Each structure stands twice: as structure tokens, then as C-alpha cells.
């Protein structure tokens, strides 16, 4: 759970106001999700009862929420007007109406996040703001969250550390005969034991043998065998901030080509980490990794982008894609995760979490990247 200071929240409101004004928006609405936490410090789950934050520059934000959660909006260290509604759905519209009146939003363009806004919330909003045009502003809002402050960076550093410790504690369970599911279960337990919040960013990927050739495999009952490559992709959550790490292991003696693709992937990972820094575009980072893999003849087996932004979401801006012309700036956090996947045989991925600093890059992750053989 986050404990974001009022000072930080007000700074974020200021940035949001500037962004909305620049985009010609009268205001913004948020429903439960990372942005709502980011701007209020409050956590809500998406449920059948709508929760909506209405924000207009220069006004105290208004929050529509069910009465049973009203306590969350009390005793805040910044100004916010709460409009709780009772259980009877026929009374919910009235709470929306009061909230809209409180922030003075009756016309103009209203920013929404298309990926999180549901028809449930939008329906109530449209009823009480018939003149307002709802427009997706996903990218502008993502841009605000893309620059991490010192508190956010500290949480992410810790999330990486906790995940790494959890993997180390899981190592004894990784052996011939253990199933992917057993390893994933053990890793999940170790993540929680080592301090991750219960809402881990995603359930660990444990993919062995031919399954490791599928970048988004789900753990199965397949048991580890001599000669397998094993990909483990996992993360922890600290104060709502995520880590997302991948390491690849050899189970006993593996084919020469498997060692080779690991070597090439590691070279690509290293090259991308070395070039990334302020002023370098996301596209250039992707191409740096991709060139190494292509030059070594495995281009067609590197089937995804080199990385993605990381923070309160497992995937967010900036995306490390070859066509992304966005230059990296201090405070951005993302993954570097090249991979090579030989269909039907096995795959390799090496994923690190990094922060752009004034003089280059800091890697939150420092577990050995070499191919570790498990006997
Ligand atoms: Co990952
Ligand atoms: Co990732």
C-alpha cells in the first residue's frame, strides 16, 4: 500500500493540470487503477460499484464512491471532496451529479484513460454531463507517470531486490523432476516471504524445454529434464511498484546451440544497457539489441520488442520498440529483455530493470546473467 505524501500528490496534481491545459481538456476522470493511486494515494478495486475521481485544474478533486469505502477518503492531508452513495443503484446518479457540480465541469473535453474506463462509469458520467465530450488522453497521462521521483525509484529498487532474493531462495526447488508449476508456486511463496506485497505484478513464468520457446508461456505440469533450457520471468511489488526480471538456466548439459543463443542474447542485453542513457531514443536501444541478434543469424527468432516501461504497471511507457523516436530522459524506468526462441526446442531471455540517470543507466537488477547450469 502506498503512503504518498500530500506534497508529492499536490505536485502530481499540478503536473496533471498543466497537461490537461496543454491538451485543451477541461478536466479528467479516473476509475480504479494505477493512475487513481498515483493522483490520490488511495487504493480501490474495480468492482460492480463505480468509483470515479473527477479532476479539474484549480479545483479540489471530487471522488464518487460507495458508502462502505467512504472511510478511505477521510482524514486526507490534501483537499478532496467525497460523494459517497448508498447501496441502492437508483441513488448513484445523484452522487455523480453532486460531484460534477462540485468541480464545475459541464462542458468541454474530458480526458479519460480508454484502457481502464468502463461503460459502467462512463454511462453515469454521460448522464450527468451531457454536453461533455469524453476523449482518450492515455498517452498524455502516461507521460506524467513515466518520470519517476526518488520515492518511486526507491520502491522499484527494493522490488528488484526482493524478487532477486526470492529467486535465490527458490533455487533448491529447481531440479530435474520438479514441475514448472511446483517451481512457480515456490517462487510465489518466496516472493511473499521476502516482502513483496500480495498483489504480485504477474504470476511467475516458469517455462522449460520446448515451452521456453514461447515468450508468454504459463507454467504447466511438465517436469524439468536434463538438456532443457529453463526461463523464469518473475517480479515483486513494493508500494505498488513492480520489478520484472528474467533469467535463463541450463538443466544439466545442453546442446551447443543453446549455449550459443544464450551468449548472443547476453551480448544483446549488454549492448542495449551500454548504449541506453539520456538523449538516446527508445528505438536506438531496441536496434542495438536487435542488431547483435541479427548479426549472429538469429534475427527471425527475436520476436518481440526489446523492453517496456515499468512502474505501477507491468507494461507502460516508454516502450523500447524500433519505431519509437522518444529520447530517453532521466527518471524513466524500463526493462531490457532481448530473447531468442527456437520453436519446438527452447528459448532464452535475459531481462533487467533499469533507470535512466544523468550519466547513463542504473540497473536495479544484478543477478548473474550468465547461463547457470543446474545439475
Ligand atoms: Co518479464
Ligand atoms: Co518484461
Amino acid at each position: 500500500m502506498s503512503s504518498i505524501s500530500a506534497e508529492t500528490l499536490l505536485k502530481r496534481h499540478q503536473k496533471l493540470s498543466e497537461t490537461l491545459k496543454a491538451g485543451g481538456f477541461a478536466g479528467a476522470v479516473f476509475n480504479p487503477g494505477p493512475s487513481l493511486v498515483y493522483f490520490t494515494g488511495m487504493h480501490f478495486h474495480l468492482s460492480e460499484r463505480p468509483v470515479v475521481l473527477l479532476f479539474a485544474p484549480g479545483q479540489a478533486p471530487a471522488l464518487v464512491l460507495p458508502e462502505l469505502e467512504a472511510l478511505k477518503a477521510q482524514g486526507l492531508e490534501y483537499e478532496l471532496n467525497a460523494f459517497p452513495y448508498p447501496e441502492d443503484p437508483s441513488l448513484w446518479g445523484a452522487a455523480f451529479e453532486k460531484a460534477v457540480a462540485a468541480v464545475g465541469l459541464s462542458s468541454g473535453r474530458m480526458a479519460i484513460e480508454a484502457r481502464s474506463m468502463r461503460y459502467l462509469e462512463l454511462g453515469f458520467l454521460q448522464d450527468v454531463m451531457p454536453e461533455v465530450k469524453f476523449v482518450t488522453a492515455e498517452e498524455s497521462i502516461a507521460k506524467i507517470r513515466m518520470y519517476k521521483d526518488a520515492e518511486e525509484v526507491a520502491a522499484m529498487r527494493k522490488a528488484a531486490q526482493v524478487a532477486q532474493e526470492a529467486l535465490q531462495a527458490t533455487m533448491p526447488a529447481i531440479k530435474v523432476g520438479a514441475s514448472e508449476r511446483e517451481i512457480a508456486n515456490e517462487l510465489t511463496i518466496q516472493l511473499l516471504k521476502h516482502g513483496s506485497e500480495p498483489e504480485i505484478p504477474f504470476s511467475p513464468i516458469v517455462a522449460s524445454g520446448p515451452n521456453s520457446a514461447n515468450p508468454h508461456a504459463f507454467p504447466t505440469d511438465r517436469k524439468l529434464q536434463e538438456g532443457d533450457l529453463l526461463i523464469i520471468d518473475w517480479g515483486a511489488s513494493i508500494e505498488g511498484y513492480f520489478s520484472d526480471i528474467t533469467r535463463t538456466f541450463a538443466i544439466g548439459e545442453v546442446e551447443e546451440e543453446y549455449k550459443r543463443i544464450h551468449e548472443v542474447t547476453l551480448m544483446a542485453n549488454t549492448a542495449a544497457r551500454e548504449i541506453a542513457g539520456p538523449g538516446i531514443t527508445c528505438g536506438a536501444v531496441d536496434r542495438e539489441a536487435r542488431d547483435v541478434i541479427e548479426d549472429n543469424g538469429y534475427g527471425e527468432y527475436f520476436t518481440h520488442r526489446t523492453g517496456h516501461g515499468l512502474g505501477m504497471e507491468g507494461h507502460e511507457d516508454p516502450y523500447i520498440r524500433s519505431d519509437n523516436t522518444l529520447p530517453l530522459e532521466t527518471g524513466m524506468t524500463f526493462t531490457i529483455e532481448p530473447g531468442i526462441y527456437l520453436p519446438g526446442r527452447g528459448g532464452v531471455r535475459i531481462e533487467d530493470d533499469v533507470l535512466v540517470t544523468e550519466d547513463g543507466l542504473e540497473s536495479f537488477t544484478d543477478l548473474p546473467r550468465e547461463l547457470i547450469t543446474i545439475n
Side-chain angles (χ1 to χ4, degrees):
M1 294 289 119
S2 70
S3 49
I4 311 168
S5 71
E7 193 194 343
T8 299
L9 290 171
L10 293 173
K11 249 187 241 167
R12 292 176 184 176
H13 293 175
Q14 186 57 39
K15 262 191 213 153
L16 178 58
S17 295
E18 287 161 16
T19 300
L20 292 173
K21 284 183 199 157
F25 290 101
V29 286
F30 299 95
N31 62 338
S35 293
L36 184 62
V37 178
Y38 186 84
F39 291 118
T40 66
M42 282 183 268
H43 292 257
F44 294 95
H45 283 285
L46 268 184
S47 81
E48 73 282 14
R49 299 182 181 96
V51 173
V52 171
L53 180 81
L54 292 108
F55 182 94
Q59 304 282 337
L63 184 69
V64 178
L65 78 173
E67 264 171 7
L68 81 161
E69 298 199 80
L71 273 178
K72 289 183 186 173
Q74 285 175 15
L76 299 176
E77 285 167 26
Y78 62 96
E79 208 188 331
L80 176 140
N81 297 314
F83 298 89
Y85 57 77
E87 285 287 37
D88 181 355
S90 70
L91 302 172
W92 297 359
F96 275 89
E97 206 160 338
K98 281 186 221 152
V100 166
V103 286
L105 288 167
S106 57
S107 62
R109 295 161 78 234
M110 182 73 90
I112 57 168
E113 292 178 297
R115 281 189 294 146
S116 45
M117 183 54 63
R118 302 181 299 182
Y119 194 75
L120 172 68
E121 290 85 3
L122 199 57
F124 280 106
L125 291 164
Q126 281 171 330
D127 279 351
V128 295
M129 311 158 93
E131 308 289 307
V132 163
K133 188 163 187 255
F134 294 89
V135 181
T136 180
E138 202 110 51
E139 282 181 25
S140 323
I141 293 160
K143 216 168 269 172
I144 303 175
R145 281 177 32 209
M146 190 162 66
Y147 302 92
K148 270 69 177 180
D149 64 26
E151 284 172 58
E152 296 178 283
V153 165
M156 292 188 69
R157 222 180 254 133
K158 177 104 191 284
Q161 193 189 323
V162 163
Q164 297 196 149
E165 287 167 5
L167 184 79
Q168 274 156 338
T170 305
M171 289 310 289
I174 305 175
K175 55 190 179 208
V176 171
S179 77
E180 294 170 354
R181 215 183 291 246
E182 285 162 3
I183 297 167
N185 291 349
E186 180 62 21
L187 180 50
T188 303
I189 291 167
Q190 294 300 340
L191 282 166
L192 301 176
K193 277 193 179 166
H194 283 81
S196 173
E197 284 162 354
E199 281 189 67
I200 56 175
F202 55 95
S203 43
I205 294 173
V206 176
S208 66
N211 296 346
S212 62
N214 172 6
H216 279 168
F218 279 85
T220 70
D221 288 324
R222 186 184 184 280
K223 293 181 163 62
L224 302 194
Q225 295 166 22
E226 183 89 21
D228 280 352
L229 283 173
L230 170 69
I231 287 182
I232 302 185
D233 186 344
W234 77 107
S237 171
I238 297 292
E239 288 180 23
Y241 287 85
F242 297 163
S243 53
D244 177 8
I245 315 174
T246 307
R247 290 293 182 264
T248 303
F249 303 89
I251 308 303
E253 193 53 38
V254 297
E255 293 179 35
E256 279 311 308
E257 190 173 20
Y258 291 180
K259 293 181 194 166
R260 180 70 191 140
I261 60 171
H262 192 281
E263 196 181 0
V264 173
T265 305
L266 179 51
M267 285 193 291
N269 171 298
T270 307
R273 279 185 293 112
E274 275 170 5
I275 195 180
I280 305 294
T281 66
C282 294
V285 176
D286 179 88
R287 277 192 301 276
E288 190 72 10
R290 204 163 296 281
D291 281 352
V292 171
I293 293 177
E294 280 173 3
D295 291 349
N296 283 280
Y298 289 101
E300 64 180 296
Y301 303 108
F302 178 20
T303 47
H304 54 74
R305 61 193 175 209
T306 294
H308 52 80
L310 184 68
M312 303 177 90
E313 283 182 284
H315 291 168
E316 58 179 49
D317 283 279
Y319 290 98
I320 313 301
R321 256 190 351 233
S322 59
D323 60 348
N324 190 351
T325 55
L326 180 78
L328 294 174
E329 287 179 65
T330 310
M332 291 182 183
T333 48
F334 57 93
T335 68
I336 289 181
E337 51 177 308
I340 297 176
Y341 310 93
L342 306 177
R345 295 171 65 198
V348 169
R349 181 166 63 256
I350 304 171
E351 177 176 27
D352 287 291
D353 302 342
V354 300
L355 163 74
V356 181
T357 61
E358 268 163 43
D359 37 327
L361 210 67
E362 173 190 333
S363 184
F364 296 145
T365 41
D366 61 359
L367 275 185
R369 298 179 180 88
E370 290 70 34
L371 184 64
I372 291 173
T373 301
I374 294 170
N375 283 303

